[in-house]
Amino acid sequence: MKHKFNFYTEYNQFYLEDAVIKAEIDPSEFWNEEAFFSHLALDKGVVGIGTQCYGNVKGEIEILDKPNANINYELYDHIVEGCIYIASGDVQILNCPDNHVELSLKLEPGNYRVRVYGSNFNSVLETDLANDVDNDYYRIEIWKSTEIGTKILKKYNDVSY
């Protein structure tokens, strides 16, 4: 089942996080060079998703039984995978910087793989933050997996990262 989201976030990021594990993140280590390059930061119980926009984030999340093997790479600007441990059975999407819960989903506790697809990155014109007209979009897929680490499946060539 797909769940849509649309919310305001800052600092070009939002989070997918276990409801119970509250990692104490050092931003300089969490958003290290590799994380900026991949647009994905990982820590115990939390995934930081780097966005192209600074403002309204639109997208969807879907829980799968297995990874999607039929990726149409032409539809997306950037595709990256990472891992998360969900101890509580409750995964949340939070904005930045105040960590407001935007969406909460129930999952069986365990290890998961997260794939983030980003599209419409060229629509982002960070010239008028008050009138966010960006049209970037994020699709998140999550499934049970013991695979660890970050894997970039398609890299967006943005000189600002």
Side-chain angles (χ1 to χ4, degrees):
M1 180 175 207
K2 292 180 190 173
H3 302 272
K4 299 264 186 193
F5 55 83
N6 185 347
F7 59 91
Y8 187 84
T9 194
E10 296 179 13
Y11 304 100
N12 301 90
Q13 61 191 281
F14 68 97
Y15 303 100
L16 187 66
E17 187 172 296
D18 180 83
V20 173
I21 299 174
K22 298 296 181 191
E24 292 190 28
I25 297 170
D26 175 350
S28 65
E29 290 188 25
F30 187 63
W31 284 107
N32 59 34
E33 188 174 330
E34 179 185 349
F36 271 115
F37 182 78
S38 68
H39 297 231
L40 200 72
L42 304 176
D43 203 341
K44 184 178 180 181
V46 63
V47 173
I49 299 167
T51 65
Q52 197 66 13
C53 70
Y54 185 111
N56 290 323
V57 171
K58 299 161 285 295
E60 63 189 42
I61 185 169
E62 185 172 13
I63 293 141
L64 305 174
D65 293 327
K66 60 183 179 182
N68 176 7
N70 299 315
I71 301 170
N72 183 346
Y73 288 88
E74 297 299 315
L75 294 177
Y76 304 100
D77 296 316
H78 189 81
I79 306 170
V80 62
E81 289 182 5
C83 54
I84 187 170
Y85 177 67
I86 305 298
S88 68
D90 189 8
V91 65
Q92 301 174 332
I93 294 179
L94 299 100
N95 74 343
C96 178
D98 59 7
N99 295 322
H100 181 265
V101 176
E102 302 294 339
L103 181 66
S104 184
L105 301 171
K106 296 293 182 199
L107 293 175
E108 182 180 317
N111 292 305
Y112 287 84
R113 195 79 180 150
V114 176
R115 184 180 294 155
V116 181
Y117 303 80
S119 59
N120 300 322
F121 283 8
N122 288 331
S123 73
V124 177
L125 307 170
E126 299 295 344
T127 56
D128 187 2
L129 296 178
N131 298 306
D132 184 18
V133 294
D134 306 327
N135 198 27
D136 51 333
Y137 191 85
Y138 300 88
R139 173 171 169 72
I140 302 169
E141 295 172 342
I142 185 169
W143 65 91
K144 280 206 131 189
S145 174
T146 57
E147 187 176 348
I148 60 171
T150 302
K151 184 188 311 180
I152 299 171
L153 303 177
K154 182 176 181 180
K155 174 72 177 115
Y156 180 63
N157 294 319
D158 181 0
V159 294
S160 68
Y161 279 97

